[in-house]
């Protein structure tokens, strides 16, 4: 399950809050790939080949303890208005320490900086996103995503993920 707990540093929730969210580097690709693959194997995330992670690397942020990437997430832009939180994953050893929240907050801050007005995700973790101000929406509220990217997805005809959306007003 994720990177084996025995090889990972032990930290408290307080210490986790001190670890920076930073842009991913080439050295992080292998660890990002392993983290996503582990959740993909359990059907929680879509698998992404390593080549895809290299090509999208500048979309990724990570939280790392030394050499260990313990969380990652990416911002993919679809249109002038719409971006997506993609490939969000936190090593289960560090679940519930606020790392997922900080990754989404960093992705949201980047989306605002770029001038996006809507941020979405497709997820099974609805409660997590609701706590961060996202609302559940129908997939058809996101035609840019559905007709742009989902159409090439193996789950396209049987997608059981739930769409969540947050409006990013400049005043927030
Ligand atoms: C979803 C995920 C990123 C959450 O990461 P995390 O670091 O454990 O989340 P946080 O510690 O920031 O949790 C924030 C809050 O959401 C809650 N929460 C987290 N996961 C939850 C879940 N599955 N169901 C209900 N609440 C959840 C936490 O309890 C916490 O609540 P609190 O603020 O009252 O303490 C992580 O569980 C994960 O990697 N899941 C597998 C991959 C996945 O589904 N990614 C999302 C696809 S876009």
């Amino acid at each position: 399950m994720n990177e084996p707990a025995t090889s990972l540093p032990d930290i408290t929730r307080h210490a986790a809050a001190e670890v920076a969210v930073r842009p991913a580097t080439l050295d992080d690709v292998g660890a990002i790939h392993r983290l996503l693959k582990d959740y993909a194997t359990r059907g929680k995330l879509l698998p992404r080949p390593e080549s895809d992670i290299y090509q999208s690397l500048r979309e990724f942020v990570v939280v790392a303890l030394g050499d260990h990437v313990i969380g990652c997430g990416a911002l993919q832009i679809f249109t002038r208005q719409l971006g997506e939180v993609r490939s969000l994953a936190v090593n289960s050893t560090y679940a519930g320490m606020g790392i997922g929240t900080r990754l989404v907050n960093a992705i949201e801050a980047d989306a605002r900086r770029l001038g996006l007005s809507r941020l979405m995700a497709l997820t099974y973790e609805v409660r997590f996103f609701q706590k961060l101000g996202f609302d559940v929406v129908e997939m058809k509220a996101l035609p840019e995503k559905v007709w742009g990217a989902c159409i090439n997805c193996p789950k396209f005809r049987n997608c059981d993920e739930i769409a969540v959306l947050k409006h990013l007003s400049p005043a927030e």
Side-chain angles (χ1 to χ4, degrees):
M1 182 184 286
N2 304 151
E3 193 172 339
T6 46
S7 68
L8 289 169
D10 218 2
I11 54 167
T12 60
R13 185 182 174 105
H14 179 71
E18 304 289 311
V19 186
V21 178
R22 61 160 174 80
T25 70
L26 290 165
D27 287 342
D28 298 323
V29 171
I32 293 171
H33 181 245
R34 283 191 295 278
L35 189 54
L36 298 180
K37 190 174 168 191
D38 184 57
Y39 281 117
T41 306
R42 289 187 266 153
K44 295 248 181 187
L45 288 176
L46 287 175
R48 287 184 84 164
E50 213 169 50
S51 58
D52 184 21
I53 298 169
Y54 276 114
Q55 285 163 22
S56 314
L57 189 62
R58 281 176 290 190
E59 298 176 358
F60 273 89
V61 287
V62 296
V63 169
L65 291 176
D67 293 340
H68 303 279
V69 171
I70 60 170
C72 66
L75 171 64
Q76 182 167 18
I77 299 171
F78 286 108
T79 64
R80 173 68 185 83
Q81 291 81 28
L82 182 68
E84 179 183 9
V85 178
R86 272 198 82 182
S87 300
L88 178 72
V90 173
N91 186 300
S92 53
T93 302
Y94 302 96
M97 291 187 171
I99 293 169
T101 297
R102 291 178 48 238
L103 285 162
V104 174
N105 286 345
I107 289 167
E108 185 179 322
D110 201 28
R112 288 179 193 280
R113 178 186 66 77
L114 288 162
L116 289 171
S117 56
R118 296 185 299 154
L119 187 60
M120 59 154 291
L122 295 180
T123 188
Y124 301 107
E125 304 294 358
V126 173
R127 292 272 303 124
F128 167 77
F129 279 98
Q130 284 175 325
K131 283 192 166 183
L132 297 177
F134 288 74
D135 295 314
V136 174
V137 293
E138 286 193 52
M139 205 71 91
K140 66 184 180 200
L142 304 165
E144 306 97 313
K145 166 72 180 173
V146 174
W147 300 113
C150 292
I151 203 160
N152 297 317
C153 175
K155 282 189 172 182
F156 179 54
R157 301 240 169 255
N158 308 302
C159 182
D160 56 354
E161 292 187 307
I162 294 162
V164 293
L165 180 69
K166 183 169 181 174
H167 290 273
L168 309 178
S169 70
E172 279 181 53

